Amino acid sequence: MDEVVIGLEVHVQLNKLRTKLFCSCPLNYHHSPPNTHVCPVCLGMPGAMPVINKEAVKAAIKVAIALNAEIQPFTVFDRKNYFYPDLPRGFQISQYDRPLALGGYVTIELDGEEKRIKLKRVHMEEDPGKLSYRGSITTAKYSLIDYNRSGAPLLEIVTEPVMNSPKEARLFLNKLRMILEYLDVFDGDLEGAMRVDANISLKGGGRVEVKNISSFKGVEKALSYEVMRQKNLLQRGRIVTRETRHFDEARNITVTLRSKEEEQDYRYFPEPDLVPILTEELVKEVEGTLPEMPEEKRERFKEQYGLGDNYAKVLILDVKMADYFEDVAKYVSPKLAASWIVDVLRGELNYRGWNFLKCREVLSPEEFARLMKYFEEERITEKGVVEVIRTKLDEGGDVEDIIKKKGLFAIPKEEIVRFCKEAIEENPKAVQDYLGGKKQALNFLVGQVMKKTRGRADPGETAKMLEELLA
Amino acid sequence: MVSVEEVYHTAELAKIEISGEEAEKFRKEFESILDYFNILDEVEEDVEPTFQVLPLRNVFREDKPGECLSQDEALKNATHKEEGYFKGPRVVE
């Protein structure tokens, strides 16, 4: 196997904040008309002055702590100069040689073993605006620019080149997303929440940078394509040239990109309109507010609710799911809740492209718990529960109404016994046949009971009951 | 020493067109500026660099939404615009 080396630069938007990094324009610009969440600062108008959002710095510090990075006591912003229409000032306010934090790591589970993905640095910067085109990018005569995103708070998280497969890169990103969502600074479902640049090289080849990967799924695809492309080149005795490529999400391939400026061409220098940040006090403010992290939650779930590791491990993957579980577990057996959430509800949501927040709106933990209660009391069958969940998610309505309307309330055992007795009395011939050794006559009796209950009795249970009554 | 090529490269980064005459003029000026800055090399190395001349630290803003410009106001000074967007050059990649 050729040795693959991958390093990632991950840009995450601190999209749970209310305002941008350097101005008070609100961040809820998704689904808004273009250029409506803008002001002189994020439009780069002359004389407009940036002021740092304190919560953004605190959120960044939270992340740095959770990533085990070393927060620097003194940090400054720099100007990164380049011309691009998405950058209204001709420079991006970023951080250069005095970033917020250095080092750190994220632990992933790779083929049953733990691996630490080491980080180089974590720094803050502003998001550029968004370019779009009428029609195709190759035929459009101009670009259209929306600065609503301009100035949104970003964190750039840079890993060391320590990953050895596209799959490993995906595992790393999943874990990173999980940590960020636990910290409540990030919503990975929002458009443009995470963007990744990847460096990838194969043994004996040059390093290739792939830019513009804008989805979690895209990363593994882009990297897999690159591994294949580079392998093919090397196998044919060609060389892999050092270059920057662009990931074309529609076609799932990478294409060569005209080389951009080299680092020295960015002409970084300290941003004169912002003053340095001393982090010591902020770190103290943040430390007490750190929430329970995934691994701690996993252990607590096992201890507090008596869950097996298999369920605890899955429940904590998504903090929204973990919260939902805890709310349900207030009312019913936690083990029952865990298995139904992990084995059924999660899949039903996935199928509909929903997350647990959306689920909460439609099927609240309290309602789900009531459904679980009916199941616990054997008033509804397993199949019935699934049907209620599906109906509830697709059509809404009240849990009890759905159960009644669909006739899903199981018939109490005594009632089935009564129906069995009736069937025996009404069909002496079948009874005689059965007692005479014709076992299949029992099926006829079961059928009679099913008719009486309109199919709501369990055929297996009914057969057993009849056997007992006739024994 | 600053070369004329370096001057042209810098001009290109700044998106400025310069004539041959200007390039030579800038080359000399760049050199004298850099010479001047070389004085800094004589300073002892353990001096913390100055990132900001103001004596201020930790100037922050609360995370409270404020007023934005309307779309019309935002686009008012733009010569090239279309349906609420600024128009810019197509960036070929």
Side-chain angles (χ1 to χ4, degrees):
Chain A
M1 169 80 189
D2 312 72
E3 207 176 299
V4 179
V5 178
I6 297 168
L8 300 176
E9 279 173 31
V10 189
H11 299 87
V12 292
Q13 228 184 36
L14 298 172
N15 54 18
K16 286 276 189 124
L17 291 165
R18 300 175 67 203
T19 68
K20 293 183 179 180
L21 184 52
F22 300 121
C23 62
S24 50
C25 288
L27 266 185
N28 58 352
Y29 58 81
H30 297 86
H31 318 295
S32 299
N35 299 303
T36 52
H37 288 52
V38 291
C39 74
V41 174
C42 55
L43 284 174
M45 290 185 175
M49 286 295 194
V51 188
I52 305 168
N53 180 346
K54 186 177 184 186
E55 291 309 310
V57 181
K58 282 167 74 174
I61 288 174
K62 253 192 200 178
V63 175
I65 293 174
L67 298 179
N68 313 290
E70 207 172 304
I71 294 161
Q72 303 300 296
F74 177 90
T75 182
V76 299
F77 282 99
D78 290 87
R79 288 187 181 181
K80 179 181 183 179
N81 297 278
Y82 64 96
F83 279 102
Y84 213 72
D86 61 9
L87 220 50
R89 298 188 202 89
F91 59 83
Q92 178 191 29
I93 304 181
S94 179
Q95 296 199 285
Y96 184 49
D97 55 356
R98 298 284 173 145
L100 175 74
L102 293 170
Y105 60 88
V106 169
T107 309
I108 61 166
E109 205 177 298
L110 184 67
D111 305 323
E113 285 191 29
E114 286 199 342
K115 176 171 175 177
R116 275 188 181 185
I117 307 298
K118 281 196 182 144
L119 305 177
K120 256 189 196 141
R121 56 188 271 151
V122 177
H123 77 242
M124 297 174 277
E125 63 184 28
E126 59 174 341
D127 214 345
K130 193 167 188 244
L131 297 184
S132 56
Y133 301 88
R134 292 248 183 273
S136 154
I137 184 168
T138 46
T139 55
K141 293 204 164 46
Y142 49 82
S143 59
L144 297 173
I145 313 153
D146 173 10
Y147 289 114
N148 282 346
R149 196 179 72 185
S150 167
L154 287 188
L155 271 193
E156 181 171 322
I157 298 159
V158 187
T159 76
E160 296 281 356
V162 288
M163 284 162 274
N164 301 111
S165 68
K167 177 185 160 197
E168 208 176 317
R170 168 171 56 83
L171 291 173
F172 166 77
L173 288 172
N174 286 346
K175 186 67 184 279
L176 180 63
R177 173 181 182 162
M178 178 165 124
I179 294 170
L180 294 167
E181 294 196 328
Y182 265 75
L183 295 170
D184 201 26
V185 297
F186 176 74
D187 176 359
D189 288 329
L190 276 181
E191 190 221 330
M194 188 183 263
R195 276 155 283 148
V196 180
D197 296 340
N199 285 298
I200 174 165
S201 62
L202 264 64
K203 202 172 183 177
R207 197 183 76 202
V208 172
E209 185 178 8
V210 184
K211 288 198 167 268
N212 187 44
I213 312 173
S214 58
S215 72
F216 293 94
K217 285 185 192 135
V219 174
E220 198 174 7
K221 282 187 195 153
L223 289 173
S224 298
Y225 177 83
E226 256 318 288
V227 170
M228 183 195 73
R229 188 187 68 86
Q230 294 184 22
K231 253 188 203 168
N232 283 343
L233 284 174
L234 291 170
Q235 266 163 10
R236 281 181 286 153
R238 310 261 289 273
I239 47 163
V240 177
T241 40
R242 192 178 163 158
E243 62 169 340
T244 301
R245 298 176 72 85
H246 174 99
F247 179 54
D248 185 334
E249 198 130 31
R251 292 188 289 165
N252 273 327
I253 59 168
T254 66
V255 289
T256 186
L257 191 77
R258 191 197 53 193
S259 74
K260 238 182 158 184
E261 281 98 345
E262 293 288 317
E263 181 165 287
Q264 72 237 25
D265 290 341
Y266 285 133
R267 293 151 294 151
Y268 280 101
F269 63 89
E271 166 59 67
D273 291 340
L274 293 170
V275 301
I277 299 172
L278 302 175
T279 56
E280 200 189 330
E281 287 301 313
L282 294 166
V283 171
K284 275 186 203 151
E285 275 181 52
V286 164
E287 266 170 349
T289 68
L290 279 180
E292 179 183 52
M293 296 308 285
E295 297 314 316
E296 299 166 67
K297 203 182 278 291
R298 180 166 163 180
E299 288 313 308
R300 180 170 64 82
F301 276 15
K302 289 198 272 186
E303 202 161 298
Q304 183 178 341
Y305 299 111
L307 299 182
D309 191 51
N310 48 346
Y311 281 117
K313 192 166 92 179
V314 180
L315 281 172
I316 57 114
L317 284 179
D318 171 8
V319 68
K320 300 187 224 44
M321 173 163 56
D323 289 347
Y324 191 92
F325 159 74
E326 288 204 271
D327 286 342
V328 177
K330 278 180 204 156
Y331 308 101
V332 293
S333 145
K335 279 186 183 168
L336 182 76
S339 78
W340 274 95
I341 289 171
V342 169
D343 298 333
V344 179
L345 185 57
R346 183 162 159 257
E348 293 294 332
L349 295 178
N350 248 337
Y351 174 73
R352 288 166 180 77
W354 291 15
N355 64 24
F356 273 87
L357 269 191
K358 170 102 194 209
C359 175
R360 228 171 233 281
E361 291 169 19
V362 179
L363 174 57
S364 72
E366 292 74 22
E367 283 178 293
F368 191 71
R370 286 213 306 274
L371 187 56
M372 292 291 98
K373 263 243 146 63
Y374 292 135
F375 179 70
E376 243 178 349
E377 294 164 359
E378 294 183 10
R379 293 182 61 194
I380 183 167
T381 61
E382 204 169 305
K383 231 178 92 203
V385 174
V386 175
E387 196 172 340
V388 175
I389 292 174
R390 287 183 181 156
T391 310
K392 182 81 181 151
L393 295 182
D394 292 333
E395 296 159 27
D398 182 77
V399 166
E400 282 75 16
D401 284 350
I402 295 171
I403 299 177
K404 276 186 206 140
K405 224 160 66 198
K406 297 204 171 249
L408 293 170
F409 269 126
I411 300 173
K413 204 175 163 185
E414 313 82 71
E415 215 167 306
I416 297 181
V417 172
R418 190 164 57 78
F419 283 130
C420 286
K421 283 181 181 158
E422 271 179 36
I424 290 170
E425 266 169 42
E426 289 162 13
N427 300 281
K429 172 115 187 12
V431 173
Q432 232 170 18
D433 286 352
Y434 172 74
L435 293 174
K438 273 195 192 166
K439 292 291 168 203
Q440 60 268 42
L442 192 72
N443 292 340
F444 175 78
L445 293 171
V446 172
Q448 295 306 303
V449 176
M450 294 306 280
K451 217 187 254 173
K452 288 172 186 291
T453 61
R454 275 174 291 128
R456 284 176 295 161
D458 183 276
E461 290 288 312
T462 308
K464 249 188 243 160
M465 256 179 231
L466 285 165
E467 275 174 359
E468 276 168 32
L469 288 168
L470 294 171
Chain B
M1 278 295 285
V2 177
S3 68
V4 177
E5 284 70 40
E6 281 171 315
V7 175
Y8 278 124
H9 179 62
T10 309
E12 203 182 301
L13 290 177
K15 302 279 186 274
I16 301 170
E17 202 178 301
I18 54 171
S19 67
E21 241 170 74
E22 285 170 319
E24 181 52 30
K25 180 170 166 264
F26 283 130
R27 195 192 64 76
K28 285 189 192 135
E29 287 179 7
F30 281 10
E31 239 172 41
S32 78
I33 292 167
L34 287 175
D35 277 347
Y36 187 67
F37 273 85
N38 281 340
I39 298 171
L40 289 175
D41 288 343
E42 288 158 29
V43 177
E44 278 176 54
E45 278 185 12
D46 61 353
V47 175
E48 182 65 11
T50 300
F51 291 94
Q52 171 60 265
V53 291
L54 296 172
L56 298 169
R57 298 289 183 265
N58 292 16
V59 176
F60 296 125
R61 175 176 66 73
E62 291 308 311
D63 188 27
K64 279 203 192 102
E67 282 286 296
C68 290
L69 296 175
S70 69
Q71 193 185 61
D72 282 347
E73 286 171 318
L75 292 160
K76 206 167 179 178
N77 295 329
T79 318
H80 306 287
K81 51 195 155 189
E82 184 177 301
E83 289 174 34
Y85 291 93
F86 290 88
K87 268 164 80 168
R90 177 170 70 108
V91 190
V92 196
E93 294 182 330

